Amino acid sequence: MKRIILVLVFLVALCSVALAESVDVTGKWYVVEVRQDGFSYNPEAMGVSYTLMLGKDGTMRLFDGGRIKPIKAGTWEWRDENAIMTSNGVIGYQEDHLHLNAGGHAIFVFGRDPAEAAVLQSDPQPVAAESEEDFLGTWKESRHRINGTFYPAGLAGHPNTMTIKPGLAISNIGGTVIENTTVFSDGMLVLYYDGNEVGKLTLNDDGTISDVLNFTPQYELLRTFSRETEDHGFGDT
């Protein structure tokens, strides 16, 4: 009985490989999406420009941007209908796309058409908030943009959070707590420190909030936060 089961498993595996090999994945693939921590990013906005070449002779090469020499090279073969085994690891195959796990919870998605990445929204669009109430609650940073390039918040190595109460925003940046007084004005929440305006919080069309911090004319940081809780009960404080 055990031998029959093993034979059936082997036959199923052969069918899976045969089905996979009927799909032609050879040729050039372009990174069209970067996924991390449940968020989807435009690779161009993150400064990512990879191409993957799968040869009919079983060779695999990964290029970074316009570099002539590959940053990774090896071989590839089908493992089953959902995965390709390479000498550098496993690449998933799903719905005509290749999925390369880059570690650190980041996944690079490759497609045939580089223009596919253009449809990804790189930046949420600000909208006018109706009142300060729209900002109240606890928020967790989901990503940040430095001088136009997006990065998942997890790359900073620590979770940044912001708790907004009436008239007060409390930021926890890697364990450092910063308190800013706030004033609701023109659909935004203006942040003050020692009486000086230091930034503005905007409400976005996807339900997130963002702040822009201009440390110098050459360095602009935009942080986007997702709501962590709907609780507006702050007790007596």
Side-chain angles (χ1 to χ4, degrees):
M1 183 66 179
K2 185 181 294 185
R3 183 165 181 259
I4 293 175
I5 294 175
L6 290 174
V7 169
L8 289 174
V9 170
F10 178 70
L11 289 175
V12 170
L14 283 180
C15 290
S16 296
V17 173
L19 177 62
E21 290 179 345
S22 66
V23 178
D24 184 13
V25 295
T26 59
K28 182 180 289 189
W29 295 80
Y30 304 88
V31 63
V32 295
E33 181 183 359
V34 179
R35 298 176 183 172
Q36 184 159 0
D37 298 327
F39 290 88
S40 179
Y41 301 93
N42 185 312
E44 183 178 354
M46 294 184 67
V48 175
S49 178
Y50 293 138
T51 54
L52 179 67
M53 295 288 295
L54 298 179
K56 292 183 180 296
D57 57 356
T59 57
M60 183 276 296
R61 293 174 294 165
L62 180 65
F63 295 88
D64 184 3
R67 295 184 181 180
I68 298 177
K69 292 185 178 181
I71 58 175
K72 292 283 187 180
T75 58
W76 73 276
E77 63 180 4
W78 281 104
R79 187 180 72 175
D80 55 47
E81 71 269 27
N82 296 314
I84 295 171
M85 179 66 71
T86 77
S87 50
N88 293 289
V90 178
I91 299 176
Y93 177 78
Q94 185 178 9
E95 298 178 351
D96 298 325
H97 288 80
L98 299 177
H99 299 248
L100 175 62
N101 192 325
H105 307 293
I107 296 176
F108 294 140
V109 180
F110 290 81
R112 292 293 198 180
D113 183 4
E116 185 180 341
V119 302
L120 291 175
Q121 182 173 316
S122 302
D123 203 359
Q125 299 302 303
V127 295
E130 294 184 0
S131 69
E132 181 187 40
E133 180 73 17
D134 292 329
F135 296 92
L136 301 184
T138 300
W139 304 78
K140 184 176 181 180
E141 186 181 8
S142 54
R143 65 178 180 178
H144 55 260
R145 184 185 72 192
I146 300 176
N147 293 346
T149 299
F150 284 92
Y151 301 92
L155 294 182
H158 49 71
N160 296 334
T161 60
M162 181 181 296
T163 299
I164 302 177
K165 305 178 181 183
L168 183 66
I170 305 171
S171 299
N172 188 322
I173 304 176
T176 300
V177 177
I178 300 175
E179 294 189 359
N180 298 103
T181 56
T182 63
V183 174
F184 182 77
S185 176
D186 295 329
M188 297 179 290
L189 203 61
V190 185
L191 306 177
Y192 293 89
Y193 187 79
D194 284 341
N196 298 311
E197 182 181 326
V198 294
K200 291 184 175 71
L201 281 171
T202 61
L203 180 67
N204 299 318
D205 56 0
D206 61 356
T208 61
I209 61 173
S210 297
D211 65 354
V212 178
L213 305 175
N214 294 289
F215 295 102
T216 69
Q218 293 77 33
Y219 186 86
E220 178 190 78
L221 170 64
L222 180 145
R223 300 181 301 169
T224 299
F225 295 81
S226 299
R227 188 179 290 280
E228 193 169 74
T229 176
E230 295 289 342
D231 184 15
H232 293 175
F234 300 115
D236 297 327
T237 58

